[in-house]
């Protein structure tokens, strides 16, 4: 190829890349708001099932609290927390966190913890794991995530908070150890955060008491 | 008119991307567990194919041979990204259920095959028709296999598992060949159809 034709090819590629980028940017602009709204709706829809077995009489959604990054919860960015109360006393907290060491990027999780520090449920909100392997952690695909229910920092003790292959007490998936390992770690870190920051979670300055007039 | 009907016969039957050319088998086998999943991925693939054929054809005069593949990849990847955003915005439940298979439309070789074999050598209108016809052929196959597996899984769970996908596709190809064979017996002049794709 001569220099001139090389330049021409380069320019064609650049022009088409510019057009394609514009197309994607415009679509993003057009869909951005709806995608955020859908994401929030999906999160809100998943809150209740994660609280299975907890009795509470306060609203969930309006109890949202944002801990700006950096914070000690797993995942990058702001952490979102929901709190529920029973007769004014803390009943459970829900954490939106992300497991950073997934097979294909971060895995967004919802982790529910009751007042005693036991897990009420774990739900995978978003992930990019491989279909048929890592995606079995999804609630609809297998019951893998149910094994966390009722577990707490003392049960099992710290070395047990790992997948079996690493000497822990949690099942991995057949042919997929990386995804479960990442999630077990994130759940454990969430529990540790909760153990140390319980007061921060349930009563932050400016938001001291549970909102008692909110109905369920 | 006759030519359009002929094109539909090619895309839907004689040259069906899934049944005859055996392209795009990964999504075909993976997502066809239900009718709705088949339809969702079918429509997504169809839309990408129509627009990519249109764009490739519209730019074919400026695109030199040496850089055509990166350009197809660029066009197809952008269109798939847009499709993914549109699904996330307007069909969130379907998007969650199809998951990574929407972005993976990028790797569906049926799309790049139509760009290379057809759109790069034909006018825009004709290329759009080709994208539509081939996309419809692929989508109909996804929907058929999806519906079949969903129905059979009510009595036999294997239909939902990976072997079920292979058996269903094999059955679909066998049925097609049986029908073609029977037709061939009636018409003595029938010769085996070579696939149009140069591989
Ligand atoms: C294409 C491909 C995709 C994979 N996807 C995942 C995945 O999503 N999650 C995961 O934990 N492991 C995945 N693996 C497997 C890991 O590479 C690793 O082998 C496995 O997690 C180790 O588990 P094992 O020791 O039980 O075999 C994938 C492997 C391949 C080749």
């Amino acid at each position: 190829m001569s220099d001139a034709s090389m330049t021409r090819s380069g320019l064609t590629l650049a022009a088409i890349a510019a057009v394609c980028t514009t197309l994607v940017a415009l679509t993003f602009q057009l869909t951005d708001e709806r995608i955020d709204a859908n994401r929030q709706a999906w999160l809100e829809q998943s809150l209740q099932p994660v609280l299975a077995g907890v009795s509470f009489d306060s609203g969930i959604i309006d109890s949202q609290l944002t801990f700006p990054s950096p914070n000690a919860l797993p995942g990058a960015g702001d952490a979102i927390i929901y709190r529920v109360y029973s007769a004014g006393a803390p009943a459970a907290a829900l954490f939106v966190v992300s497991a950073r060491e997934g097979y294909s990027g971060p895995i967004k999780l919802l982790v529910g913890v009751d007042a005693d520090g036991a897990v009420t449920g774990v739900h995978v909100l978003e992930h990019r794991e491989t279909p048929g392997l890592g995606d079995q952690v999804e609630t609809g695909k297998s019951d893998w995530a149910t094994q966390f229910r009722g577990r707490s920092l003392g049960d099992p003790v710290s070395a047990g908070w790992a997948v079996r292959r690493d000497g822990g007490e949690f099942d991995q998936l057949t042919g997929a150890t990386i995804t479960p390992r990442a999630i077990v770690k994130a759940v454990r870190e969430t529990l540790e955060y909760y153990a140390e920051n319980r007061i921060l979670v349930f009563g932050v300055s400016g938001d001291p008491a549970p909102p008692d007039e909110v109905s369920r | 008119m006759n030519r359009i009907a002929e094109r539909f016969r090619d895309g839907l039957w004689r040259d069906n991307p899934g049944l005859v050319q055996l392209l795009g088998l990964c999504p075909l086998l993976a997502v066809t567990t239900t009718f709705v999943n088949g339809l969702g991925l079918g429509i997504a693939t169809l839309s990408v194919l129509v627009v990519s054929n249109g764009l490739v054809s519209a730019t074919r005069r400026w695109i030199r041979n040496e850089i055509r593949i990166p350009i197809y990849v660029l066009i197809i990847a952008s269109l798939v990204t847009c499709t993914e955003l549109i699904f996330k915005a307007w069909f969130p439940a379907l998007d969650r259920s199809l998951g990574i298979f929407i972005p993976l439309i990028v790797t569906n070789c049926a799309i790049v095959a139509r760009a290379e074999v057809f759109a790069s050598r034909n006018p825009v209108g004709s290329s759009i028709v080709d994208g539509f016809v081939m996309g419809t052929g692929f989508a109909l196959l996804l929907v058929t296999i999806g519906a079949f597996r969903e129905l059979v899984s009510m009595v036999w769970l294997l239909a939902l598992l990976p072997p079920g996908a292979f058996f269903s596709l094999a059955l679909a190809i066998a049925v097609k060949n049986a029908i073609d064979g029977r037709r061939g017996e009636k018409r003595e002049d029938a010769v085996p159809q070579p696939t149009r794709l140069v591989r």
Side-chain angles (χ1 to χ4, degrees):
Chain A
M1 248 199 287
S2 73
D3 275 0
S5 88
M6 210 127 94
T7 313
R8 219 195 94 175
S9 293
L11 288 177
T12 315
L13 263 172
I16 291 190
V19 173
C20 288
T21 312
T22 313
L23 188 71
V24 172
L26 287 177
T27 315
F28 178 77
Q29 288 269 308
L30 198 73
T31 52
D32 188 30
E33 236 168 76
R34 287 191 71 101
I35 291 177
D36 274 348
N38 289 340
R39 202 170 268 153
Q40 184 64 22
W42 170 237
L43 169 62
E44 289 175 6
Q45 192 184 324
S46 312
L47 294 171
Q48 192 88 40
V50 172
L51 284 175
V54 180
S55 60
F56 57 98
D57 52 17
S58 64
I60 310 182
I61 291 159
D62 36 12
S63 73
Q64 185 185 328
L65 194 68
T66 306
F67 286 162
S69 81
N71 53 58
L73 278 162
D78 299 352
I80 296 170
I81 298 177
Y82 295 85
R83 293 85 38 90
V84 292
Y85 300 87
S86 172
L94 291 161
F95 297 82
V96 182
V97 294
S98 83
R100 265 168 299 190
E101 287 138 33
Y103 188 81
S104 329
I107 303 165
K108 204 165 147 194
L109 298 172
L110 187 59
V111 182
V113 189
D114 71 11
D116 303 326
V119 175
T120 65
V122 171
H123 179 82
V124 174
L125 290 167
E126 273 173 47
H127 71 85
R128 304 222 126 203
E129 304 303 287
T130 314
L133 289 170
D135 75 338
Q136 301 300 308
V137 298
E138 266 179 52
T139 310
K141 298 240 159 90
S142 85
D143 56 6
W144 180 84
T146 59
Q147 62 178 323
F148 290 104
R149 214 172 278 159
R151 296 309 194 107
S152 59
L153 278 186
D155 167 31
V157 289
S158 96
W161 272 93
V163 291
R164 288 191 200 284
R165 160 162 296 215
D166 301 339
E169 290 198 10
F170 293 93
D171 289 333
Q172 58 260 8
L173 294 160
T174 313
T177 306
I178 294 165
T179 313
R181 185 182 281 149
I183 295 180
V184 170
K185 183 165 177 237
V187 173
R188 190 194 64 208
E189 286 173 0
T190 305
L191 290 177
E192 285 166 358
Y193 179 88
Y194 178 80
E196 281 165 26
N197 300 282
R198 201 163 170 273
I199 297 171
L200 199 65
V201 170
F202 283 105
V204 163
S205 59
D207 183 17
D212 47 31
E213 74 280 11
V214 220
S215 65
R216 212 174 140 187
Chain B
M1 193 55 231
N2 232 348
R3 279 199 41 223
I4 299 264
E6 185 72 3
R7 300 275 294 277
F8 267 92
R9 254 187 58 187
D10 278 353
L12 267 45
W13 191 261
R14 276 213 313 247
D15 226 2
N16 184 301
L19 273 182
V20 180
Q21 305 178 44
L22 298 181
L23 293 175
L25 289 194
C26 162
L28 193 156
L29 295 168
V31 306
T32 52
T33 45
T34 64
F35 172 80
V36 173
N37 275 2
L39 185 66
L41 194 77
I43 290 176
T45 310
L46 168 65
S47 335
V48 172
L49 194 48
V50 169
V51 184
S52 85
N53 260 11
L55 288 181
V56 167
S57 169
T59 49
R60 73 188 187 282
R61 289 189 209 293
W62 298 300
I63 296 174
R64 337 185 67 197
N65 216 26
E66 312 80 68
I67 54 165
R68 71 190 196 287
I69 301 292
I71 286 180
Y72 300 160
V73 172
L74 207 55
I75 291 178
I76 295 169
S78 312
L79 292 174
V80 170
T81 308
C82 293
T83 308
E84 188 187 5
L85 291 172
I86 289 168
F87 266 65
K88 276 194 194 310
W90 280 281
F91 312 102
L94 198 53
D95 175 69
R96 269 195 299 277
S97 130
L98 292 174
I100 195 135
F101 287 101
I102 295 195
L104 278 184
I105 294 175
V106 167
T107 63
N108 187 328
C109 26
I111 298 176
V112 88
R114 290 331 286 177
E116 171 81 356
V117 174
F118 198 93
S120 59
R121 305 161 192 194
N122 288 285
V124 177
S126 183
S127 298
I128 290 178
V129 171
D130 180 78
F132 183 78
V133 166
M134 289 292 163
T136 309
F138 188 67
L140 280 178
L141 182 65
L142 284 180
V143 169
T144 310
I145 295 190
F148 176 77
R149 288 178 68 189
E150 192 172 1
L151 280 176
V152 174
S153 72
M154 288 172 191
V155 288
W156 199 24
L157 206 63
L158 182 76
L160 282 192
L161 303 175
F166 285 100
F167 284 130
S168 306
L169 177 65
L171 192 63
I173 295 175
V175 167
K176 180 189 180 289
N177 287 347
I179 294 175
D180 284 349
R182 197 160 293 169
R183 278 205 197 138
E185 279 167 25
K186 283 186 204 139
R187 281 190 283 114
E188 294 291 307
D189 58 337
V191 280
Q193 274 292 322
T195 154
R196 229 118 305 162
L197 184 74
V198 189
R199 258 176 283 201

